Amino acid sequence: MKIAVVYWSGTGNTETMAEVLASGAKETGAEVVTSTSDDFSSVDGFDAVAFGCPAMGSEGLEESSFEPMFESVEDSLSEKKVALFGSYGWGDGEWMRDWEERVKDKCAVFVGSSICNEAPDDSVKEELVSLGKKLAE
């Protein structure tokens, strides 16, 4: 199983989430490639992808790097296993609910999501390890 973990992080919270999720996938023996959204361009060659982006502005995805990358790959998500994660500082998680629907609309095999307010605590880290393992199943 080859998994891409792709993220954008402004404060380091989503980067930490990416590292923890990747560690969970690696525990299963999966090959994991971690990349920022600036360095990622294709889901080809990956069995599963975890995307991470914090809520920005009025609960949207980061617009200059992450959103353009995601738009460029989302039509290729059909039949791929996909997990989502990210942090937020305000709001109620609307960006994640919208993003989940967007992924499901592309016929991806949605395996779950994880969000946290600000930095991930131990319970969120446990959730991310489980999400990484589930993505690698």
Side-chain angles (χ1 to χ4, degrees), residues 41-97:
S41 60
S42 176
V43 297
D44 295 341
F46 293 99
D47 303 299
V49 186
F51 292 103
C53 186
M56 303 294 289
S58 60
E59 290 207 66
L61 298 175
E62 191 278 329
E63 295 176 346
S64 64
S65 172
F66 193 88
E67 178 65 38
M69 176 280 303
F70 191 75
E71 280 182 6
S72 75
V73 301
E74 69 182 315
D75 286 335
S76 303
L77 295 179
S78 179
E79 306 304 318
K80 297 255 185 219
K81 293 174 89 176
V82 176
L84 304 175
F85 62 95
S87 62
Y88 64 98
W90 60 90
D92 68 354
E94 178 182 357
W95 106 101
M96 185 59 72
R97 292 188 299 275

